[in-house]
Structure formats: C-alpha cells, structure tokens
Amino acid sequence: DTEVTQTPKHLVMGMTNKKSLKCEQHMGHRAMYWYKQKAKKPPELMFVYSYEKLSINESVPSRFSPECPNSSLLNLHLHALQPEDSALYLCASSQQGYTYEQYFGPGTRLTVT
Amino acid sequence: AQSVTQPDIHITVSEGASLELRCNYSYGATPYLFWYVQSPGQGLQLLLKYFSGDTLVQGIKGFEAEFKRSQSSFNLRKPSVHWSDAAEYFCAVGADGNEKLTFGTGTRLTIIP
C-alpha cells in the first residue's frame, strides 16, 4: 500500500482564520514532507521531517507551522495567511530521505480570501 | 547542487503515437532520478526511478526511461500513448547527503485523437 492521505481536499479560509492541514501515511516511512504548488509550476519544498524531527525548513514564513505528532502523521497549521498563499499543498513520505522515492498525497487545494 | 531541465514546456501527440519527454540533469556524482506524473488538481504519482544498475528502467503504465550518463539525460518514453496519458510530467533528481528532490519545470502532454 503506497497511499498517503490528506484532509481536507479543499479549504477556503479568511486571512484571520486558523486552520490545519493533515497528512497520514501507514507505510512505515520515516521521512515526511510538505510542498506548496502553484498552478503550472513544480512543487516547492517547504518542510522535511525525518524521524519526527524537523530537518529542513526552506525559509517558510512563520504563518505556516508544521507539526509531526508521530511517525504516521504530519500537520500544517495555518494562521494569518495571505491571498498569495493560495495553492495546492502536497504531503509526501519516503522511507528515509534522498535515497528513496517520495510518495505523494492528493493534496489540499487552499484558497485564502 | 543538483538541477534539472525539462526543455519542452508543452508537447502534443496523437493517440497511438510514440512519446519521448526530455530531461537533463546536472550533478557531479551518480544521481537518483525520478519521473512523476500529475493529473490536473491531483497529487504526483511516481512512474519510475533510477538509482543504479541497468540504465533502462521500466515503470508503470507502460513507461520506460533510459539513463545516459554521457548526455546527462533521463528521457521518458512510451511506444503508444493513450488519451489517459494527458497530464503534467515532472522529472526530479535527488543526491547523496541531501534530503531534497529537485524538480524540473514540467512538461504538459496533450493527446489529440
């Protein structure tokens, strides 16, 4: 089973709202990733968790706050977002880091109004 | 640092015709190479990967790719495309000691009847 699930599928939020995106995998993978993807562009890496510890933060604004409660779950907490943050947010997981392929979830389509 | 170039932004192919999508990478050592496919509004699906060994790799959905070190290329091929192959295709490269995947800008594939 190579499935990564993400909820919700769609999210509309105002600039003063607080919301969270959730990601789950049951493949025993120890690395998990958040990407942001704008239309007609490749995914842009935001965060990497390796063995439940944040290993990479690609200088993402603090209005995005990742959390890895356990090895199967990854959250992205959103607060005071801007309209330009509207995008498809993708979660991915891999056995461990660079030497293994990443498996992606279907994404959450986020619209900030 | 590694980089990936996909020279073709958009390719149109007739259904049943053969397909080749180009990917060139830049990296000093042996790279880890991947092809992903993304349908509109969906996540990325791994088509195939190359780590080492046989330079011709087979993937899902009838796709194959050939690693050519001398040309720094990893082109994706399919002998006969189907209308369902219409999508965005991303080439990606990983590297030793680096948890990041670097994605190319993508090639959009259109299939005409």
Side-chain angles (χ1 to χ4, degrees), chain A residues 74-104:
Chain A
L74 186 65
N75 298 322
L76 186 63
H77 303 297
L78 313 172
H79 173 55
L81 295 192
Q82 303 298 309
E84 59 264 28
D85 297 321
S86 298
L88 182 67
Y89 287 83
L90 295 163
C91 173
S93 70
S94 68
Q95 286 190 33
Q96 184 182 343
Y98 53 88
T99 54
Y100 297 95
E101 59 269 31
Q102 293 182 22
Y103 292 92
F104 285 79

Side-chain angles (χ1 to χ4, degrees), chain B:
Chain B
Q2 66 266 30
S3 66
V4 179
T5 301
Q6 292 182 248
D8 304 304
I9 296 174
H10 184 204
I11 284 183
T12 300
V13 177
S14 297
E15 190 168 15
S18 63
L19 171 70
E20 183 168 28
L21 301 183
R22 296 184 291 165
C23 172
N24 293 99
Y25 69 90
S26 174
Y27 182 61
T30 299
Y32 306 102
L33 294 161
F34 308 88
W35 274 101
Y36 285 89
V37 61
Q38 185 178 32
S39 297
Q42 302 296 313
L44 278 70
Q45 183 181 24
L46 179 68
L47 286 176
L48 46 77
K49 61 184 186 263
Y50 173 78
F51 291 164
S52 64
D54 192 346
T55 56
L56 184 63
V57 293
Q58 303 296 320
I60 62 171
K61 303 185 179 190
F63 285 93
E64 67 177 26
E66 186 171 12
F67 172 63
K68 292 186 177 180
R69 184 187 300 276
S70 62
Q71 298 177 22
S72 298
S73 69
F74 188 57
N75 294 347
L76 182 71
R77 300 194 294 247
K78 187 171 185 178
S80 176
V81 298
H82 186 261
W83 64 266
S84 59
D85 293 324
E88 189 83 21
Y89 290 80
F90 292 100
C91 181
V93 61
D96 260 338
N98 190 332
E99 291 174 299
K100 300 181 190 180
L101 275 186
T102 299
F103 285 89
T105 50
T107 298
R108 182 161 60 95
L109 176 64
T110 297
I111 308 294
I112 54 176

